[in-house]
Amino acid sequence: MSIVDTVKQAVTGAVTGAMVRLTPDAPVDPLATKHGALGRSVPRVDGPLKVGGQARFAAEVPVEGLTYAALVYSTIAHGRIVTLDTAEAVAAPGVVLVMTHENAPRMAPPAIFMSNPRAAGASDLPIMQDPSIHWNGEPVALVLADTQEQADHAASLVRVSYEAAQADLSFDQARAQAHAPDSVLGEPARIAIGDAEAALAAAPYRVDLSYRTPRHSHGAIEPHAATVLWEGDKLVVHDATQMLHATQWTLAGIFGIREEDIRILSPFVGGGFGGKGLWSHQILAIAAAKLSKRPVRIALSREGVFRVAGGRTTTGQRVALGANADGTLAALIHTGVAAMTAHNNCPEQFTFPARHLYAAGSFLLEQKVADIHMLANTFMRAPGESVGTFALETALDELAEAMALDPIELRRRIEPDKDPTSGRAFSSRHLLEAYAKGAERFGWSQRPAPRSRREGEWLVGMGVATATYPYYRMPGGSARIRLTAEGAVVQMGSHEMGMGTATAQAQHAADRLGLPLERVRFEYGDTDLPPGTIAGGSSQTVSIAAALLAAHEVLVAQLLKLAGNDSPLGGLKAAEVEARDGGLHHKEDTGRGESYASILARAGRAEVVAQAEAPRPMEVMKHSMHSYGAQFCEVRVSAVTGEVRVSRFLGSFDCGRILNPQTARSQFRGGIIMGLGLALMEETEFDERTGRIMNPSLAEYHVPVHLDVPEIDVIWTDIPDPHSPLGAHGIGEIGITGVGAAVANAIHNATGRRVRELPITLDKLL
Ligand code: MOS
């Protein structure tokens, strides 16, 4: 099965349960609770290379005869190019090529990741093939020169005139024509159970609220970059990507070449967060390399990242809750609209949390999209869930206040015994335990009444909100294990963007093989390796784990065969042995076993190689699988200036077994910090007159810096999910969810003010 098919299945099949041949549950993975390397804090294996400056990122790979690319961006949002004057640029010093739609090679439109029928995460627009313009910032020319400075200078000399067409740029106007998206990540855009509007109207307690969340731009520490070269008909791309194989097959389609003639390498990525996919810059660089017959480096400037790599889109949401006198919900309504383009399909799944979190007598959950002439939006750490939980979890806080209930007590009363919309059993859900532990540690019982605690000019308050993110496992990944007398190398074309993947999977392989951690290495980041899955949807940890588990089964069978009857293992079946102490041993008869070195030596072999594909993610069809958390926030708000200072934060998570506390804590904390940015600072300023992004720099696009971030405490239940590989859940995204609401609820507790529009800047508090 091709990656295209497996990704499509992951999105349209496995997740919705459309391909329903259920298999019995696999037996619980014995490593889910066993203690070895897993469960220990292990520093990142890629750390020393990065700290020592030896890690080569995509823009740092040395290549002979390199040329450097600079882009020229359109200054209108919709219309066409009328004239393109490149003469001065062509004549500028060091210029190798100026590429525009007039001389660019013919390329098929990209069928980018999840492209059925329209692309998600990017756009299916043809790239530099005609004079039409679709967003303000679209590349209209690429200049290649011998140095970056020469390319940048020459790009400033390209003169373009446009004929503007009517552009849809106002979110409020476009909202009036909002329409249903094709689907929301493979799920229906609308779910209605019972008559929620009627139940709301009849409920003794109700809130009915509107929320706005802004655009966000990706700001990973490493701006997007690629170094590309053609070796004959073969294309080599050193990319910064979280989707190696999807990039490979998409490029094959665009350039009409075979997947096996494309090699993508991405050993180091300076942060992905959903933004490091395939955008126009890699495609343009490849086209320019083809045209110039020279290797090309394209390193987007920070402005370039804002112009050509999409981010989180703006939403308008409604949450209405109707409660019975006993605090149960009669109606849960979460609806709204996200800005999107006509050329992608990334509707920002903000209603997903409400589909699974709480029990209610009736539901109305519906998302629409409004088409805008803008850069295609994409995934950005917990797309949908981050802004969806802001609306849902602040509305619950308002309801709790209206009912004079503690907000944690309200969540106890609406805790469901099964998934409220799918009816499936939860695989593992300990949200209330996470709340209880967090409340105790944070000192929740000390929460003041609204606007009742003041220290000098500072109003102090506490807030809480639920964090949640789905469990996904992507099909189609294969792992290879190469075992020698010295140790093992596990190979899989997967991704390390700083999350700790290579470290956690080395720990996993060490325990799986019964080897010390120092003798195991995880190789990744190269399409020449067996195919990995995307690093997205917080799915990669379990996707790799499942493939490694499958490859290990093959390896054990091969080893037993190789051992033969002269071995102490002779006659034993795979189910009777376990890997430990550098070899295979009888599970009960502890004295009976043989080391890998001895098995290999007797067989006269230097290594054994085993490869297998992970089984399909059947577990998600049988169970409702999600991660949870309780976010606790304390803020201090200046009564004089409205300035908000987050003074304490605690995340209490329930995300299955934690594989490496050190890297996990960093992921949770990073998510929470990004959540503080979402709550208080981040906003892409989109000029609705021109469609131009007006703050394309980290000087004007504000993210939290050290002084904005207090000590963040992180705890977890560490209860293994009996239905997932290793008992684990991916944890890359859940940290950001619920943070916006926890901060907003704390601000309300401190000041008595409700702000329902992000970011909560001081002007909204005065
Ligand atoms: Mo994530 S937003 O799927 O990298």
Side-chain angles (χ1 to χ4, degrees), residues 229-237 247-249 251-252 255-264 286 527-528:
L229 50 150
W230 290 84
E231 292 175 351
D233 286 340
K234 295 216 176 188
L235 174 63
V236 178
V237 182
T247 298
Q248 184 189 36
W249 60 253
L251 289 175
F255 290 97
I257 51 182
R258 299 181 312 165
E259 280 180 41
E260 50 271 39
D261 289 338
I262 303 175
R263 183 177 183 193
I264 319 279
I286 294 163
T527 52
D528 275 1

Side-chain angles (χ1 to χ4, degrees), residues 444-617:
W444 180 250
S445 60
Q446 305 303 307
R447 186 174 74 128
R451 209 183 170 98
S452 68
R453 187 172 151 202
R454 185 168 178 151
E455 295 173 12
E457 72 173 79
W458 298 95
L459 302 165
V460 186
M462 285 158 71
V464 75
T466 299
T468 188
Y469 192 79
Y471 165 96
Y472 294 115
R473 181 162 72 78
M474 299 297 170
S478 289
R480 182 161 62 212
I481 304 173
R482 313 186 79 102
L483 182 73
T484 66
E486 279 68 54
V489 178
V490 176
Q491 299 173 311
M492 191 166 174
S494 39
H495 315 80
E496 171 65 87
M497 313 186 285
M499 316 87 85
T501 304
T503 312
Q505 296 298 341
Q507 290 172 267
H508 172 201
D511 285 7
R512 185 73 63 196
L513 292 159
L515 287 169
L517 184 57
E518 312 77 64
R519 287 172 59 192
V520 176
R521 205 171 74 238
F522 183 63
E523 278 182 10
Y524 59 91
D526 185 345
T527 52
D528 275 1
L529 299 173
T533 59
I534 61 163
S538 299
S539 65
Q540 199 185 224
T541 298
V542 289
S543 301
I544 298 172
L548 180 46
L549 211 156
H552 183 252
E553 280 178 17
V554 174
L555 181 80
V556 169
Q558 286 186 22
L559 283 169
L560 287 176
K561 212 166 143 192
L562 215 57
N565 286 332
D566 297 339
S567 163
L569 298 165
L572 291 180
K573 295 191 176 62
E576 295 168 305
V577 299
E578 64 182 2
R580 66 176 151 80
D581 304 326
L584 294 180
H585 297 268
H586 192 285
K587 274 181 180 163
E588 277 108 44
D589 183 356
T590 49
R592 189 173 167 195
E594 187 172 14
S595 71
Y596 300 132
S598 164
I599 296 171
L600 287 165
R602 183 151 24 74
R605 293 272 294 268
E607 67 172 3
V608 188
V609 181
Q611 183 174 332
E613 182 173 323
R616 300 241 193 115

Side-chain angles (χ1 to χ4, degrees), residues 327-663:
T328 57
L329 286 181
L332 198 173
I333 297 174
H334 194 168
T335 61
V337 179
M340 215 175 68
T341 77
H343 297 281
N344 71 325
N345 189 16
C346 195
E348 201 79 39
Q349 58 271 22
F350 55 81
T351 62
F352 275 19
R355 296 175 184 211
H356 311 287
L357 265 183
Y358 302 120
S362 61
F363 287 89
L364 174 60
L365 310 167
E366 180 171 32
Q367 323 203 185
K368 290 186 174 176
V369 290
D371 293 338
I372 303 263
H373 287 100
M374 63 178 200
L375 169 63
N377 62 299
T378 194
F379 308 117
M380 187 161 167
R381 207 174 202 162
E385 286 83 4
S386 53
V387 291
T389 51
F390 167 66
L392 179 63
E393 295 295 308
T394 52
L396 274 169
D397 205 68
E398 295 207 39
L399 178 67
E401 190 192 15
M403 301 185 75
L405 266 182
D406 180 281
I408 299 179
E409 178 56 30
L410 173 60
R411 285 166 179 89
R412 274 190 210 107
R413 297 189 189 184
I414 57 179
E415 171 73 7
D417 53 13
K418 59 181 180 356
D419 188 299
T421 56
S422 75
R424 286 181 217 152
F426 293 115
S427 63
S428 179
R429 177 173 164 126
H430 309 279
L431 173 61
L432 295 182
E433 189 172 329
Y435 264 112
K437 280 190 169 157
E440 198 194 330
R441 187 162 167 123
F442 197 68
W444 180 250
S445 60
Q446 305 303 307
R447 186 174 74 128
R451 209 183 170 98
S452 68
R453 187 172 151 202
R454 185 168 178 151
E455 295 173 12
E457 72 173 79
W458 298 95
L459 302 165
V460 186
M462 285 158 71
V464 75
T466 299
T468 188
Y469 192 79
Y471 165 96
Y472 294 115
R473 181 162 72 78
M474 299 297 170
S478 289
R480 182 161 62 212
I481 304 173
R482 313 186 79 102
L483 182 73
T484 66
E486 279 68 54
V489 178
V490 176
Q491 299 173 311
M492 191 166 174
S494 39
H495 315 80
E496 171 65 87
M497 313 186 285
M499 316 87 85
T501 304
T503 312
Q505 296 298 341
Q507 290 172 267
H508 172 201
D511 285 7
R512 185 73 63 196
L513 292 159
L515 287 169
L517 184 57
E518 312 77 64
R519 287 172 59 192
V520 176
R521 205 171 74 238
F522 183 63
E523 278 182 10
Y524 59 91
D526 185 345
T527 52
D528 275 1
L529 299 173
T533 59
I534 61 163
S538 299
S539 65
Q540 199 185 224
T541 298
V542 289
S543 301
I544 298 172
L548 180 46
L549 211 156
H552 183 252
E553 280 178 17
V554 174
L555 181 80
V556 169
Q558 286 186 22
L559 283 169
L560 287 176
K561 212 166 143 192
L562 215 57
N565 286 332
D566 297 339
S567 163
L569 298 165
L572 291 180
K573 295 191 176 62
E576 295 168 305
V577 299
E578 64 182 2
R580 66 176 151 80
D581 304 326
L584 294 180
H585 297 268
H586 192 285
K587 274 181 180 163
E588 277 108 44
D589 183 356
T590 49
R592 189 173 167 195
E594 187 172 14
S595 71
Y596 300 132
S598 164
I599 296 171
L600 287 165
R602 183 151 24 74
R605 293 272 294 268
E607 67 172 3
V608 188
V609 181
Q611 183 174 332
E613 182 173 323
R616 300 241 193 115
M618 296 299 180
E619 68 270 26
V620 299
M621 281 175 253
K622 287 194 71 175
H623 313 280
S624 176
M625 299 181 76
H626 301 268
S627 294
Y628 304 98
Q631 310 273 27
F632 292 82
C633 177
E634 181 190 84
V635 296
R636 300 166 72 84
V637 183
S638 167
V640 179
T641 65
E643 176 185 349
V644 177
R645 288 275 151 198
V646 176
S647 45
R648 291 197 299 135
F649 205 99
L650 163 70
S652 173
F653 294 97
D654 174 45
C655 302
R657 172 94 191 279
I658 295 302
L659 304 182
N660 178 337
Q662 185 173 345
T663 55

Side-chain angles (χ1 to χ4, degrees), residues 66-69 144 226-229 285-286 288-289 292 294-298:
L66 198 56
T67 61
Y68 296 80
L144 267 195
T227 301
V228 311
L229 50 150
I286 294 163
S292 67
R294 296 273 301 271
V296 172
R297 171 159 303 157
I298 190 158

